[in-house]
Amino acid sequence: MLSQQPQPRRKRFIPKYEVEGVFKVVLGEETQSQIEMVVGTHVNAQYPWKEVNKSKILETIDIGGELSEFHSLKQQIEVYDSETVFMGYIADESNDVDEFYVCLTKDARDHCKQQSDKFIRRQEKKLEKAVQKKPRPWKSFGSEVEIKGLVPINTRPLMEMEVKAKFPTVYQPDKFRIRDTSSVRDGYIELTPYRQKFNNVFKRRIDCGSQAAPAKINREAQTELRYPQNMWTQSIADALSQVDDVEAGGDTGQTSPTKNKEESSEEDEAETKQAPDEVGLAAYRAALKRMRRPSYIKMINNFVTKKCEEMDTIVELNTVMDMYCNDYPNLIVQKTTDIYNSMIFEEYVCFTDVRAKDKYIASAVFHPMWSGIVAICYADGSPSVMKTISTRQDPIQRAVYGMNPVMIWSHIDSLIPKLYLESPREVKVLSFCPFDENILVGGLINGQVVIWDITNRLDNVEKIEVLSETREKYRIAMNAHMGWMKNIRDDSVVQSTALSNLMTSHYGSVTAIKWLSPNFNITATGKFEVNEKEKKTFMFLSGSDDGNILIWSLSVQNISQFDAKKIKKSKRVPKRPSGLLVDVSPYKILDRNLQPLYKLILGVAGQPEILPVQSFGLNAPIINYIHTPRNTGSGRKYFTCKIVPQTEADINTIVYSGSQHGEIRRVQWEGHEFNTGEVVNSEYCDIKFSCTLHDGIITCTQKNPFISGITVTVGGKIFAIWSDNLMQRPLFWKKRPYRLTDATWSLYKPSLLFLTTYEGELETWDLLIRSDQPISIQTLSGNMLTGVSLHTLPLAKNIIGVSDVNGSFRMFLVPPIFMIENPTYKSRMENMMSRELKVMTSFIEWQDKWMKNNPHILLEMKRKEGALLAEKEEEKKRLREEEQNKLEEEAEARRLAKLKVVGPEERWQKIIQKLIERTIAVKKRINRAELIEHEKPLRELEAQRLEKERRMLEIMKNQKTIFNDTVAILFPEAIKKKEKVKKSLLSDDKQSLKREYLEDYENLKSFAHKMVKENPYKIPFSWEATIAEGKERRQALNAHEDFIKMHKKRIEEDGTESIVMLSQNKADESNASEEIDKQMDDISSVLVE
């Protein structure tokens, strides 16, 4: 039997675009952005074709001239009669430039569209075939016999049953009834949105077509337009013809023929030019001479002055609203979408791992030099989560058997982390070195600092090993014979490089890590120094809940001091092979030897009280990142750092530290002039001020990346902005209706701030636009968000990452409107902060001065506060005594209850007594029921006696109240209360006070006049700032710019139609000019009279 011949392979479809009318053009990045044809954003290899506006291409030709890439195709583009040009991207990786197809004929456009659609359909079908496998017919190899043998078969005999039923069965269908939905409860159901509210636009008018309709008639009026137009004309000569009137003045007489030729449409050029109307021109010249009279000019000026306010209101209304725009077509079809109109964060990728189950994200930081790389550490608790635990977990068991996951993720792969970093204890905070791409520092729960060196680790994981077929077979055969061997090599697992010395580390868990600029150096005595040009340091600060801030150094000098230390050499291997020393980190020598250089104690000397630091703010190093391409095939961008040099003037030792109790302290340190002899020199910081503004743990303290003198803090429901030039109080603070968890400054605009909330929302604040409420609120999660972090590298589409309470880290694309950079933003933010600072300082000065001038009011306020505190203390003391007496009574009652315990002897006596009573009753033949009946009157008398005694006791208890009520009834004047005299803070002698005020009035008046004269109020005004602010406000308000342009285009078309109609009706124009002359004569005669 012959085998079945395989079907011939289908030929590969290659689209043919190079036909007549298709041209090739090489475009740069600037031209691509101008025509909206950027590779990777608007077009790509899968969808390479797109319609481009012809006007944008012509605009690039006008701007670039002969240097434009489209200059060689200018003639063909102008002849092409379509409004859009069909262009396609040529995906060729061998070329270093971006090449495009341009279709400049309709046949070429239709052919390329057909070829492109056919190619896309084939690619989609090919992808579908690769994903969805086609089932093939079953080929039996005898396994079905074994499967059938395993299937249980019921071998019981069947039971015979006889069922009797009425036949035939009559089925009666249900009858439908008419149900009034208005008369029943569930007639209508309203489906309301759960989380989002949609503002619906209700259409009030419906256009219906009718068969019998009147004929359409177009009527034009000379002095009234069909639609109100936002345009003005200078003279009637524009409607009559092109006139070279030298006497006219203004723009009319200076109109060049070339300009008129450019502004005229193609239809106007096709028409034949007609001779001007001499009668109309003569009337126009006569009217112009009359209008130049002083009386007429005065009348016009008065009219304009009178209507100026009304005109301003109309112009302002027209700039904000379009009253003559039909919104319904615009709601259905939107031709273009403005990317700057949206403030919505689009979700990009989410990271979740099963090893982090039932854990929170303690810290998440992006890599400062590699795009899309983020390091995340997971912990059992988070500072922003209030977790209640019924049973305390054993710390020893948790440290020995618990997992301490620290993972490095990449945005390319969201399922599996790239690296898994090992740690001996739970990691609470992470921080990448901003000027060394391979160093990652973490803070542990036991106070130690851990260092990971990830040099070549990520490349080893992503590297694809290419083996020949022979080597691959050999490796498979070797692994088959070595199944007993355990594979201990895993490139994705990274062990910790170095751990700090436990004796000199923190006593509590590390909560924050900040890096110091490499231009500065801190000595062992705490002194700041500026490094030499070539010398750079690796120093960072760590804060802990033990109330200390430690300064660490990873510089080469620190490493060299341990090189001389004697290391025990192995007798078996005199020297390690070179292959084992390839990935050995130079920081390995610091393991268990790393010690802090200096210790800052956030407390007061001699007092045991400490500040449990949760976060602190320090000036970040100034570094510029430069894109450096690498051919790694990983799909991410690499950057190198350029350290900006700094001087002694840039040294700033101001530190804002936030505690776990909601207290914020501003501290500074100076250092020692000599070595104190301690293992780690320490210093009590100089506390400039302490403020308890926040109502919860301060989870974030961050300096502004643009303005170093501004710091934001977040704690509880309050976030505040502090200035280095203002003490004791914040420059600006706001309380939200829900708890805030984290915050971060934007890297593009100094006034932009992102906040995460307990409700799962991301708030965006722009202090330059408004400071009373956020400009955008978006719900990102149904649960609480625990943190937010920004991607630090400049990308076309930047990323913001948020972590939620479920242990997931989600990345979102930042809207383009939040990525706009403008040099004026920084100056405007500084001016705003200086203005607020000036207002705050002036208020503080006035308040202090008023307090000094009115000491008696201050004393009265202190007296009242003291009296109120004394009353509160007395009330607390009374409540405390009552509680103590109550406890003593309960203890006494419990003691007496214990004394009443019946022992065995007492129980025996009770049993004997009951037995005697029963024996006597039997012998004397006493009926118990009759005895109870005879005792009933006696019991009633006893009950009445007890009720009288109870009433008498109640009357005796309320005798004081009864006496007061009786006196109030008989003698009401005796109990009338005296009216309380309201205490006044002013003195009793009002006449002397009035005389004193009158005497001081003249002095105050002269002082005030002198102050106003010496300090005139000058309004700082700048056209640049006003224009920039107006553009920004217009960009935020008028998002639908295309609709406004469409409205303007329609007005221009209507205006040209009206001009054409006026030029055609010459007879009407002559009559109108005569009427105008008569009106002018009447007006002039009236003015003369």
Side-chain angles (χ1 to χ4, degrees), residues 835-848:
R835 184 176 67 251
E836 294 294 329
L837 180 64
K838 185 177 180 181
V839 171
M840 193 69 72
T841 52
S842 62
F843 171 74
I844 294 171
E845 290 176 359
W846 173 85
Q847 189 179 27
D848 295 340

Side-chain angles (χ1 to χ4, degrees), residues 48 50 58 101 206 231 285 360 505 580 609 653 885 970:
K50 185 192 173 186
L58 294 175
Y101 287 120
I206 300 176
M231 58 189 299
R285 292 191 181 98
Y360 302 100
S505 300
L580 297 177
E609 187 178 329
T653 59
N885 294 335
L970 299 176

Side-chain angles (χ1 to χ4, degrees), residues 193 196-202 331:
Q196 296 181 353
K197 293 184 180 179
F198 302 93
N199 298 324
N200 297 326
V201 179
F202 297 95
L331 292 173

Side-chain angles (χ1 to χ4, degrees), residues 31-199:
T31 308
Q32 292 177 19
S33 62
Q34 288 178 359
I35 66 174
E36 296 182 357
M37 196 74 180
V38 180
V39 177
T41 304
H42 302 94
V43 293
N44 49 36
Q46 187 177 0
Y47 299 100
W49 292 90
K50 185 192 173 186
E51 296 279 354
V52 180
N53 288 336
K54 179 181 174 182
S55 60
K56 293 183 179 180
I57 298 176
L58 294 175
E59 185 179 352
T60 58
I61 296 174
D62 295 340
I63 294 173
E66 295 181 357
L67 299 177
S68 176
E69 292 89 339
F70 293 102
H71 185 266
S72 59
L73 304 175
K74 181 178 180 182
Q75 186 176 0
Q76 290 88 337
I77 295 172
E78 291 177 348
V79 173
Y80 187 52
D81 57 351
S82 179
E83 294 182 357
T84 59
V85 178
F86 197 55
M87 294 183 62
Y89 167 60
I90 304 174
D92 188 3
E93 296 182 356
S94 60
N95 293 339
D96 295 336
V97 295
D98 295 334
E99 224 173 352
F100 295 84
Y101 287 120
V102 184
C103 302
L104 297 179
T105 61
K106 291 187 176 180
D107 296 337
R109 180 192 64 188
D110 298 340
H111 172 76
C112 291
K113 277 187 177 180
Q114 182 182 3
Q115 292 288 314
S116 175
D117 295 342
K118 189 175 180 181
F119 176 71
I120 291 172
R121 285 197 302 271
R122 291 226 174 189
Q123 291 291 334
E124 291 177 351
K125 193 172 183 181
K126 185 177 179 182
L127 180 62
E128 185 180 357
K129 285 183 178 180
V131 174
Q132 299 179 359
K133 299 296 182 182
K134 186 177 181 182
R136 298 181 181 179
W138 174 263
K139 291 182 180 181
S140 176
F141 291 102
S143 60
E144 65 273 6
V145 179
E146 299 178 3
I147 295 174
K148 287 180 181 179
L150 298 174
V151 175
I153 300 173
N154 192 0
T155 58
R156 284 185 179 181
L158 300 177
M159 298 177 64
E160 294 183 2
M161 299 180 67
E162 184 178 354
V163 180
K164 291 183 180 181
K166 185 180 178 181
F167 188 82
T169 305
V170 180
Y171 296 99
Q172 303 231 350
D174 293 337
K175 294 181 180 180
F176 293 99
R177 303 188 306 263
I178 297 175
R179 188 173 184 233
D180 188 7
T181 57
S182 302
S183 61
V184 294
R185 182 180 60 82
D186 56 347
Y188 296 97
I189 297 175
E190 181 182 4
L191 301 177
T192 58
Y194 176 60
R195 289 190 177 277
Q196 296 181 353
K197 293 184 180 179
F198 302 93
N199 298 324

Side-chain angles (χ1 to χ4, degrees), residues 475-510:
R475 175 170 291 184
I476 293 171
M478 290 291 292
N479 291 334
H481 292 289
M482 298 173 62
W484 52 270
M485 188 174 179
K486 183 179 179 181
N487 185 17
I488 59 172
R489 181 182 178 185
D490 191 355
D491 293 335
S492 62
V493 177
V494 180
Q495 296 181 353
S496 60
T497 304
L499 270 172
S500 64
N501 191 346
L502 184 61
M503 300 301 295
T504 56
S505 300
H506 290 285
Y507 300 123
S509 60
V510 181

Side-chain angles (χ1 to χ4, degrees), residues 973-1004:
E973 297 84 4
I975 63 168
K976 190 175 181 181
K977 296 182 179 179
K978 297 180 180 179
E979 295 183 359
K980 291 184 178 180
V981 181
K982 294 183 178 179
K983 293 184 179 181
S984 176
L985 300 176
L986 301 176
S987 60
D988 296 334
D989 192 0
K990 295 184 179 179
Q991 295 297 330
S992 61
L993 185 65
K994 184 177 180 180
R995 194 181 306 108
E996 183 181 352
Y997 284 167
L998 290 175
E999 291 175 357
D1000 293 343
Y1001 172 74
E1002 293 298 332
N1003 298 330
L1004 291 173

Side-chain angles (χ1 to χ4, degrees), residues 805-1012:
V805 76
N806 297 324
S808 301
F809 186 79
R810 303 165 64 189
M811 288 187 182
F812 293 85
L813 297 178
V814 180
I817 195 170
F818 295 150
M819 298 170 59
I820 301 174
E821 294 182 290
N822 195 339
T824 61
Y825 287 158
K826 183 178 179 181
S827 59
R828 290 172 58 191
M829 184 67 176
E830 290 176 346
N831 294 336
M832 175 187 173
M833 291 299 163
S834 62
R835 184 176 67 251
E836 294 294 329
L837 180 64
K838 185 177 180 181
V839 171
M840 193 69 72
T841 52
S842 62
F843 171 74
I844 294 171
E845 290 176 359
W846 173 85
Q847 189 179 27
D848 295 340
K849 187 176 179 182
W850 188 84
M851 286 293 183
K852 290 179 181 178
N853 294 335
N854 301 275
H856 57 282
I857 298 178
L858 185 60
L859 292 174
E860 184 67 20
M861 290 170 61
K862 288 183 178 180
R863 188 189 63 77
K864 287 185 177 181
E865 289 177 359
L868 187 61
L869 289 175
E871 290 179 2
K872 288 183 178 180
E873 288 294 331
E874 190 69 25
E875 184 69 17
K876 288 181 181 179
K877 185 178 179 181
R878 186 181 62 79
L879 294 174
R880 191 162 54 247
E881 289 178 355
E882 290 180 357
E883 186 70 23
Q884 188 174 359
N885 294 335
K886 187 177 179 181
L887 293 174
E888 290 178 357
E889 290 176 359
E890 290 178 356
E892 184 67 20
R894 286 195 298 269
R895 188 181 65 82
L896 294 175
K898 288 180 181 179
L899 295 176
K900 291 181 181 180
V901 176
V902 180
E905 186 176 352
E906 286 80 3
R907 283 199 299 272
W908 174 252
Q909 291 293 337
K910 287 183 179 181
I911 293 170
I912 295 298
Q913 186 177 358
K914 288 181 180 180
L915 182 60
I916 292 169
E917 291 176 358
R918 197 180 302 116
T919 304
I920 293 171
V922 171
K923 285 186 177 184
K924 290 189 176 185
R925 296 179 183 181
I926 298 173
N927 190 355
R928 196 172 188 81
E930 293 179 0
L931 186 62
I932 292 171
E933 188 68 26
H934 292 319
E935 288 179 355
K936 190 174 182 180
L938 299 175
R939 290 181 180 176
E940 289 180 358
L941 291 173
E942 184 67 20
Q944 292 176 4
R945 187 183 65 79
L946 294 175
E947 180 67 20
K948 287 181 180 180
E949 289 181 358
R950 188 187 64 79
R951 289 181 180 178
M952 289 301 295
L953 288 174
E954 188 175 354
I955 291 172
M956 293 300 293
K957 190 185 294 183
N958 299 329
Q959 60 181 352
K960 191 173 182 180
T961 306
I962 296 171
F963 175 77
N964 292 334
D965 293 342
T966 307
V967 171
I969 294 170
L970 299 176
F971 311 103
E973 297 84 4
I975 63 168
K976 190 175 181 181
K977 296 182 179 179
K978 297 180 180 179
E979 295 183 359
K980 291 184 178 180
V981 181
K982 294 183 178 179
K983 293 184 179 181
S984 176
L985 300 176
L986 301 176
S987 60
D988 296 334
D989 192 0
K990 295 184 179 179
Q991 295 297 330
S992 61
L993 185 65
K994 184 177 180 180
R995 194 181 306 108
E996 183 181 352
Y997 284 167
L998 290 175
E999 291 175 357
D1000 293 343
Y1001 172 74
E1002 293 298 332
N1003 298 330
L1004 291 173
K1005 180 180 177 181
S1006 59
F1007 177 74
H1009 281 298
K1010 184 180 179 182
M1011 178 65 69
V1012 171

Side-chain angles (χ1 to χ4, degrees), residues 168-387:
T169 305
V170 180
Y171 296 99
Q172 303 231 350
D174 293 337
K175 294 181 180 180
F176 293 99
R177 303 188 306 263
I178 297 175
R179 188 173 184 233
D180 188 7
T181 57
S182 302
S183 61
V184 294
R185 182 180 60 82
D186 56 347
Y188 296 97
I189 297 175
E190 181 182 4
L191 301 177
T192 58
Y194 176 60
R195 289 190 177 277
Q196 296 181 353
K197 293 184 180 179
F198 302 93
N199 298 324
N200 297 326
V201 179
F202 297 95
K203 189 172 183 179
R204 296 299 184 186
R205 189 184 72 178
I206 300 176
D207 299 329
C208 300
S210 60
Q211 186 176 2
K216 185 178 179 181
I217 299 175
N218 297 328
R219 292 181 179 177
E220 304 291 340
Q222 182 182 358
T223 59
E224 184 178 0
L225 295 176
R226 294 172 59 191
Y227 300 99
Q229 297 184 1
N230 296 331
M231 58 189 299
W232 60 276
T233 56
Q234 185 156 5
S235 65
I236 200 171
D238 296 336
L240 295 175
S241 179
Q242 300 174 359
V243 184
D244 294 336
D245 191 1
V246 181
E247 299 177 358
D251 298 336
T252 310
Q254 300 175 1
T255 304
S256 62
T258 58
K259 183 177 181 181
N260 293 331
K261 186 176 180 180
E262 292 175 358
E263 294 178 353
S264 62
S265 62
E266 295 179 0
E267 296 179 0
D268 296 339
E269 290 178 359
E271 296 179 357
T272 57
K273 295 183 179 180
Q274 299 179 1
D277 185 10
E278 297 296 337
V279 177
L281 291 177
Y284 162 69
R285 292 191 181 98
L288 185 63
K289 288 181 180 179
R290 285 193 294 272
M291 283 190 294
R292 289 184 175 178
R293 295 175 182 174
S295 59
Y296 187 82
I297 293 172
K298 183 178 180 181
M299 183 179 64
I300 292 296
N301 291 337
N302 294 336
F303 174 77
V304 171
T305 306
K306 185 178 180 181
K307 300 293 183 180
C308 183
E309 185 176 355
E310 182 180 356
M311 193 68 183
D312 292 341
T313 307
I314 295 173
V315 170
E316 183 180 1
L317 178 64
N318 290 336
T319 55
V320 176
M321 299 177 62
D322 187 2
M323 302 296 295
Y324 310 100
C325 181
N326 189 7
D327 291 332
Y328 295 105
N330 301 332
L331 292 173
I332 297 170
V333 180
Q334 293 185 0
K335 296 182 180 180
T336 58
T337 304
D338 190 3
I339 61 173
Y340 295 106
N341 185 30
S342 175
M343 294 185 183
I344 299 174
F345 294 84
E346 297 179 2
E347 187 164 4
Y348 179 53
V349 73
C350 179
F351 300 141
T352 306
D353 194 83
V354 295
R355 286 173 287 190
K357 185 181 179 182
D358 298 332
K359 291 182 179 292
Y360 302 100
I361 295 179
S363 178
V365 289
F366 283 95
H367 200 286
M369 299 188 193
W370 300 343
S371 65
I373 299 297
V374 59
I376 305 173
C377 65
Y378 302 86
D380 294 332
S382 176
S384 56
V385 179
M386 292 188 295
K387 187 177 180 182

